[in-house]
Amino acid sequence: MKAIVFQEPGRLDPDMLREIAVPSVQTGEVLVRVACAGLNFADMMMRSGTYPHPKGYPLVAGLEMAGEIVQVGQGVTAFAPGDRVAAFSENAGAFAEYCAVPEERLIRLPASIGYDTGAAAYIQATTAWNLLHTMTNTQKGDVVLIHAIGGGVGLYLTQFAKKAGATVIGTVGTRGKESRALAYGADLVINREEHDFVAEVMRFTAGRGVDKVIDSVGASTLDRSFDTIRRLGHVVSYGEAEGKPWPNLWERLVAKSLTFGRMHLGHLDYRSPAWMACVDAVVTDIVNGSLQVPIERIFPMAEADAMFAALASRTISGKLLLDISGEFAPAGPASGRR
């Protein structure tokens, strides 16, 4: 089968397309014929060798996909061949024509959700929902600061936070990424390169500060965020695009009796009521149209390097997808087909 393979960390080969064996299915797993796969910042980190949850190399890339089940392993009871699913593969392997995935990491896709939409939504939408409703309790009247609001997770955070009744403040690092977040309901979006986001947040909140900060940037952006939050507020980290949190974290937390959490999607309990509530919310909202799934562009497998370059450009506001089956737009703006 065809697959996108990282030969070793930090080796940025432009030609990553390889022929490899179809993976075998273990107990509790299913084999998915992949139609479409989603690119995440974590994939960039795996390619460069900076991902905080180490993987072995050579590595078949990709964490997120949608397609049809063609085989089930022993012990699988909830799914059968022919089922349409989206999946999160913690051990990667999604950028391939076939991928073996644990049964618990599957989401059943109704006929009204296309494989492109399923691959675009799984990781980012469920991450956003759990940041707001598992790691914290977001409710009406909360004021939430979301860094990187123009990116994939940020756009889902905006939609779910507004649905919960929160006021949403966001920051972006690139001019032009404000527009989609504002269109999705954000109350204020600040360009960190042009404005002091701390001053802007405190002005907007009349000096009160925000109730919670949700951050994927880390380093100086995370450190300065502590100046925007009220006492007894919450800080939730889910990435370190700029770098790891600075070592003064304890001093920052104790000064205002803050709580701090770090979430990795792979650490959630996929059999818990909280996860089931998350899946139900995401699928239901996509089907009824209240949750927008922003697909920016779909690339053929032969152009995987260009897909990575597009994400690295920091100009993307929406999801980049890899067309595994050849059934979707080969390049250029997403067709919107399901």
Side-chain angles (χ1 to χ4, degrees):
M1 69 173 184
K2 292 182 175 63
I4 302 300
V5 180
F6 301 150
Q7 295 296 330
E8 58 187 61
R11 180 176 161 186
L12 304 183
D13 292 332
D15 181 13
M16 298 173 281
L17 191 58
R18 299 285 185 273
E19 283 284 346
I20 63 172
V22 174
S24 58
V25 178
Q26 306 300 315
T27 299
E29 292 184 338
V30 306
L31 187 66
V32 177
R33 180 190 294 119
V34 182
C36 209
L39 180 66
N40 293 277
F41 193 78
D43 299 305
M44 299 272 291
M45 298 178 77
M46 288 182 197
R47 191 181 183 193
S48 65
T50 59
Y51 191 58
H53 308 282
K55 309 294 181 187
Y57 296 81
L59 176 69
V60 180
L63 298 170
E64 177 182 35
M65 81 203 84
E68 179 184 338
I69 294 176
V70 294
Q71 182 184 348
V72 300
Q74 290 185 349
V76 173
T77 58
F79 294 90
D83 286 348
R84 304 175 72 255
V85 295
F88 165 46
S89 179
E90 172 77 1
N91 292 320
F95 292 174
E97 292 180 305
Y98 294 89
C99 184
V101 190
E103 177 185 24
E104 65 182 21
R105 301 296 177 90
L106 301 173
I107 291 177
R108 192 181 304 277
L109 292 181
S112 59
I113 297 181
Y115 289 138
D116 51 351
T117 300
Y122 190 129
I123 285 179
Q124 293 179 340
T126 63
T127 294
W129 194 93
N130 281 285
L131 287 168
L132 291 169
H133 297 299
T134 299
M135 296 296 294
T136 63
N137 178 27
T138 304
Q139 54 195 347
K140 185 176 181 179
D142 283 351
V143 182
V144 183
L145 172 60
I146 301 169
H147 290 303
I149 197 172
V153 177
L155 294 172
Y156 289 112
L157 283 166
T158 301
Q159 295 180 79
F160 285 133
K162 293 302 296 183
K163 184 176 182 178
T167 296
V168 173
I169 304 171
T171 75
V172 296
T174 305
R175 179 182 293 184
K177 296 187 77 170
E178 304 94 337
S179 58
R180 187 169 270 170
L182 290 167
Y184 283 6
D187 298 279
L188 172 69
V189 180
I190 306 157
N191 186 331
R192 297 190 305 273
E193 298 299 311
E194 298 177 355
H195 302 282
D196 181 342
F197 78 85
V198 174
E200 293 297 313
V201 168
M202 298 309 289
R203 179 192 60 77
F204 186 82
T205 61
R208 176 184 178 273
V210 301
D211 296 290
K212 63 188 69 178
V213 174
I214 301 181
D215 174 62
S216 64
V217 183
S220 62
T221 298
L222 175 60
D223 187 69
R224 297 202 67 223
S225 297
F226 289 103
D227 295 330
T228 71
I229 194 166
R230 64 165 175 82
R231 293 176 180 176
L232 299 175
H234 306 278
V235 182
V236 184
S237 164
Y238 69 99
E240 297 82 28
E242 186 183 287
K244 293 180 181 179
W246 289 3
N248 64 341
L249 191 57
W250 183 86
E251 289 87 349
R252 284 304 213 171
L253 296 176
V254 76
K256 295 181 181 178
S257 295
L258 306 177
T259 58
F260 181 88
R262 175 64 167 84
M263 195 192 90
H264 170 56
L265 189 65
H267 292 162
L268 299 179
D269 181 356
Y270 288 81
R271 299 185 184 276
S272 68
W275 176 254
M276 300 304 173
C278 165
V279 170
D280 181 65
V282 169
V283 172
T284 298
D285 287 354
I286 292 174
V287 170
N288 67 29
S290 63
L291 184 67
Q292 299 299 309
V293 179
I295 298 175
E296 187 80 6
R297 189 171 173 186
I298 304 178
F299 293 79
M301 292 186 78
E303 296 180 18
D305 188 57
M307 178 181 67
F308 278 89
L311 186 59
S313 72
R314 300 178 60 197
T315 62
I316 300 301
S317 185
K319 192 74 171 185
L320 299 178
L321 297 176
L322 195 63
D323 181 5
I324 306 296
S325 65
E327 299 175 4
F328 301 90
S335 66
R337 287 191 298 142
R338 292 180 180 271

